[in-house]
Amino acid sequence: MNSNYFDTVIIGGGPSGSACGITLQKQKTSCCIIDRKKFPRNKLCAGLLTTKTQKVIFDLLSPMNKEDILKDITFAEEDHFKLYNKDKLLIDVELAPDMLLVNRMQFDNYLLNYYKKLGGTTFEGEAVKDINFETKEVTLLNEQIIRYKYLVAADGANSIVGKYSHHQKSENALCAEINIEREDLDIHGIKAYFNIVPESYAWVFSKGTQISIGMVKLPGKEFNLLNTFSGFLKLLGLNPDKYHTKGAMLPFGNYLADPTYGNSVLFVGDAGGFVEPLTGEGIYYALKTGSLAGESILSGDPCITYRNSCKPIIKVMKNSNKYQKLFASKRFMKFFYKHIPKHGRFVRYFYNTHINKCSTDCFIHTCLKYLLCDR
């Protein structure tokens, strides 16, 4: 076999690309992963590892022992979730099971290394120069040509595969984030701050020796993100001049209704816009869609199988898009601020169903039941 040919070429070595590669490599299918960065590399992400995410990881890394996997990838554990209206605490809820958090640099490197241990080929530090979908060739900046049968776009919100295929999403959201040492801000738990960013939220995640602070600017919102972020840091008692703010694009509510192109290209993770619009969760959807893409390629009819497999995920995206717009309305948030301090059970319900189990069924009905009726 020509060394420049692979049955599947995966562009992007993050969780979605690695999940696809691991799925294929387990079946000894010829594949390679191309990434413009060398691993380990920095990655902006709050790093929450929900229960549903853990299940995907256990299935992906089977037959490894679950306890060993969690020991290897868990960076921190937290059990308190706090909601704020600006600097006013609305509610502090203790959650079970504990919230697990990962360091994305370590987590992504762990998955890619697992793929390598299975015999997977990688081209790290190699950027894509051109893609020819007719001849099914990927040309790297070093002029090396890699031919493929199937192509998986796992290259993030600004997907180069999306660019060359013109199979692009609409405008992405913009995330600003810093990671600081605990000695600068000694807090515990996970905090979400409303009324800081228009129609979105800011967050502070306790992650062991580090604290992750960030916020999201949704598409079409006219405000200065850096100035708003600086004000948020001051609200937390921090000096914004001390830190270097990093930014990244995120596809909030910006998913592809058809995550395929032609008869050979599959879009996964952020490249397919698979970030949950209400919470911003992305790791689960990256791993899940990457795994589904791998399974679809193994099925022999990748595009049809993958489109069908993604339907439940797209349903969640569609529903959550509606909920995000509802939650962003001034009338609902006024109602929310008034009632949420009395309803810790609703927060636990939201965490255990919508976040941990990916359920959007009967969400509004249950939301109103808990906030209005349950005490």
Side-chain angles (χ1 to χ4, degrees):
M1 179 179 291
N2 192 311
S3 61
N4 287 331
Y5 172 85
F6 296 88
D7 288 339
T8 303
V9 169
I10 303 165
I11 300 181
S16 59
S18 289
C20 183
I22 290 169
T23 302
L24 294 172
Q25 201 61 41
K26 278 185 172 183
Q27 300 302 317
K28 306 301 180 183
T29 300
S30 167
C31 66
C32 74
I33 291 177
I34 302 169
D35 199 288
R36 62 188 181 89
K37 296 285 189 180
K38 289 187 177 181
F39 284 61
R41 52 89 173 102
N42 285 315
K43 178 67 177 178
L44 292 188
C45 182
L48 180 63
L49 212 65
T50 57
T51 300
K52 62 181 182 291
T53 311
Q54 294 170 44
K55 184 180 185 306
V56 177
I57 293 171
F58 296 151
D59 291 342
L60 191 65
L61 303 185
S62 173
M64 285 183 64
N65 182 277
K66 294 180 180 180
E67 286 74 20
D68 290 339
I69 294 172
L70 290 181
K71 181 180 178 181
D72 289 341
I73 66 175
T74 302
F75 191 67
E77 295 184 38
E78 295 291 340
D79 60 2
H80 276 264
F81 183 50
K82 302 178 183 180
L83 298 177
Y84 289 78
N85 178 7
K86 289 189 176 178
D87 59 347
K88 179 184 177 182
L89 177 64
L90 296 171
I91 193 166
D92 179 357
V93 178
E94 185 173 357
L95 298 176
D98 286 356
M99 295 170 282
L100 303 186
L101 298 130
V102 296
N103 176 299
R104 279 295 302 273
M105 178 185 288
Q106 297 174 6
F107 179 68
D108 293 11
N109 194 50
Y110 178 88
L111 291 176
L112 190 63
N113 279 337
Y114 188 86
Y115 163 77
K116 292 177 185 177
K117 289 177 183 177
L118 293 174
T121 300
T122 63
F123 295 87
E124 294 177 60
E126 299 288 354
V128 173
K129 177 182 179 181
D130 188 35
I131 303 173
N132 189 319
F133 297 104
E134 291 186 5
T135 60
K136 296 187 176 181
E137 293 178 341
V138 176
T139 303
L140 305 182
L141 278 180
N142 63 10
E143 301 300 336
Q144 183 174 5
I145 294 175
I146 303 174
R147 299 192 301 276
Y148 64 87
K149 184 176 182 181
Y150 303 114
L151 181 66
V152 176
D155 51 344
N158 291 325
S159 170
I160 193 169
V161 183
K163 174 184 175 182
Y164 279 104
S165 65
H166 303 291
H167 196 58
Q168 294 175 299
K169 308 174 295 298
S170 54
E171 187 181 356
N172 290 308
L174 178 60
C175 168
E177 186 179 85
I178 61 171
N179 286 281
I180 67 175
E181 299 302 317
R182 180 172 293 279
E183 61 189 30
D184 289 356
L185 184 66
D186 190 12
I187 64 104
H188 294 275
I190 290 178
K191 301 181 178 184
Y193 290 78
F194 300 109
N195 213 9
I196 299 288
V197 188
E199 298 186 18
S200 185
Y201 65 96
W203 69 82
V204 179
F205 277 33
S206 173
K207 297 175 67 173
T209 60
Q210 292 187 328
I211 307 296
S212 175
I213 305 172
M215 64 175 55
V216 171
K217 178 182 180 180
L218 296 176
K221 304 306 168 188
E222 298 299 328
F223 68 96
N224 188 300
L225 180 61
L226 288 178
N227 287 346
T228 304
F229 191 63
S230 177
F232 181 52
L233 294 181
K234 291 178 181 177
L235 182 144
L236 296 173
L238 299 170
N239 177 7
D241 295 332
K242 184 178 178 181
Y243 308 103
H244 175 63
T245 303
K246 295 183 178 180
M249 305 304 293
L250 288 175
F252 264 65
N254 200 6
Y255 60 91
L256 292 173
D258 180 0
T260 67
Y261 174 74
N263 60 0
S264 60
V265 182
L266 312 180
F267 288 81
V268 299
D270 284 10
F274 294 118
V275 170
E276 209 276 4
L278 183 58
T279 65
E281 183 179 7
I283 297 177
Y284 167 75
Y285 296 99
L287 292 168
K288 186 66 177 177
T289 55
S291 299
L292 290 175
E295 292 167 4
S296 299
I297 290 169
L298 293 170
S299 75
D301 196 357
C303 288
I304 292 176
T305 303
Y306 185 59
R307 282 196 295 268
N308 289 332
S309 298
C310 285
K311 284 181 179 178
I313 293 174
I314 290 174
K315 178 184 176 182
V316 170
M317 296 287 148
K318 185 177 180 179
N319 287 342
S320 293
N321 240 348
K322 293 187 294 185
Y323 302 148
Q324 191 278 327
K325 291 173 183 176
L326 172 66
F327 269 57
S329 70
K330 292 182 179 179
R331 179 176 294 182
F332 182 87
M333 290 311 294
K334 182 179 180 181
F335 169 85
F336 183 80
Y337 296 148
K338 177 181 178 181
H339 291 279
I340 196 63
K342 301 176 287 186
H343 298 286
R345 286 187 61 191
F346 169 71
V347 177
R348 294 187 187 95
Y349 156 80
F350 182 84
Y351 174 71
N352 286 317
T353 56
H354 191 82
I355 295 178
N356 262 344
K357 297 180 182 178
C358 195
S359 173
T360 56
D361 295 335
C362 304
F363 178 79
I364 296 300
H365 177 269
T366 308
C367 174
L368 293 174
K369 173 188 171 184
Y370 271 83
L371 290 181
L372 291 176
C373 305
D374 185 61
R375 297 287 172 176

